[in-house]
Amino acid sequence: MKKFEQGKFEIFTTKADAIDKFMQMQRVCREELSSENRIEFYCSKKGKIAITNPPRKHIENKNSTKLFAEIIEDGKTYVTYYTVYSHFNNVLKFISLIMSIVMAIIAIVLAVANVDKTVSPIVLVFCLLFFVFQLFNSAKEQKNSPKDSKIMIKELQKRVEAVSLW
């Protein structure tokens, strides 16, 4: 995982009160990432915070940039945060690319063997389109990761300000 940014925000309340208020704010955020993916704000009972994608079934819709934070009380109350870019989602995307290549090879073999002349070319075209889309999407996501990181930090900052003003 590659760290992009880290820092901290001061909260003008106690740790327990901040955790309670952050937990009440858990939900999908209004802000979207550069890929138009939604993000969701989570806070645990121990004060661990995450801003990441809502749970999804499809690998290609997952974002690799995430924000993690923790509420710390040391005389004053702070939220320390860092954003990371994880290559794990790209590995999963790469595996799905390999699967699409295998399906394309099977489609070519079926077309050459004259098993089904109508289905094989259609499967081949869809596999190739999926491959190109995944390749383009992974490269674009890594390029936009610093921008997505700033969006997540701004979202955390808004919530910290809301807790302080509560």
Side-chain angles (χ1 to χ4, degrees), residues 34-35 37 59-65 85-98 130-146 148:
S34 56
S35 60
N37 284 346
I59 294 168
E60 64 271 1
N61 291 332
K62 293 202 180 287
N63 192 17
S64 298
T65 305
Y85 179 80
S86 172
H87 293 282
F88 180 71
N89 283 343
N90 286 342
V91 170
L92 292 176
K93 290 175 186 178
F94 184 72
I95 290 170
S96 69
L97 285 175
I98 291 172
F130 178 73
F131 175 78
V132 169
F133 173 75
Q134 287 288 74
L135 202 58
F136 176 74
N137 193 25
S138 293
K140 182 180 169 186
E141 182 181 350
Q142 190 167 8
K143 180 183 154 211
N144 289 332
S145 203
D148 292 342

Side-chain angles (χ1 to χ4, degrees), residues 56-166:
R56 292 200 171 146
K57 293 179 184 177
H58 304 290
I59 294 168
E60 64 271 1
N61 291 332
K62 293 202 180 287
N63 192 17
S64 298
T65 305
K66 297 171 179 21
L67 181 142
F68 298 104
E70 184 175 7
I71 302 169
I72 299 172
E73 194 167 42
D74 184 25
K76 294 181 179 181
T77 308
Y78 296 98
V79 174
T80 60
Y81 68 87
Y82 61 95
T83 57
V84 295
Y85 179 80
S86 172
H87 293 282
F88 180 71
N89 283 343
N90 286 342
V91 170
L92 292 176
K93 290 175 186 178
F94 184 72
I95 290 170
S96 69
L97 285 175
I98 291 172
M99 290 173 51
S100 71
I101 290 171
V102 169
M103 290 188 315
I105 291 170
I106 291 171
I108 291 170
V109 169
L110 291 174
V112 170
N114 291 325
V115 173
D116 191 350
K117 292 183 180 183
T118 58
V119 175
S120 298
I122 294 171
V123 171
L124 177 64
V125 168
F126 280 120
C127 290
L128 291 175
L129 286 174
F130 178 73
F131 175 78
V132 169
F133 173 75
Q134 287 288 74
L135 202 58
F136 176 74
N137 193 25
S138 293
K140 182 180 169 186
E141 182 181 350
Q142 190 167 8
K143 180 183 154 211
N144 289 332
S145 203
K147 182 179 174 184
D148 292 342
S149 176
K150 292 195 182 306
I151 292 169
M152 291 177 173
I153 292 169
K154 188 177 269 189
E155 185 65 33
L156 178 64
Q157 184 178 13
K158 283 190 234 176
R159 291 176 189 261
V160 166
E161 290 170 1
V163 167
S164 292
L165 295 172
W166 197 317

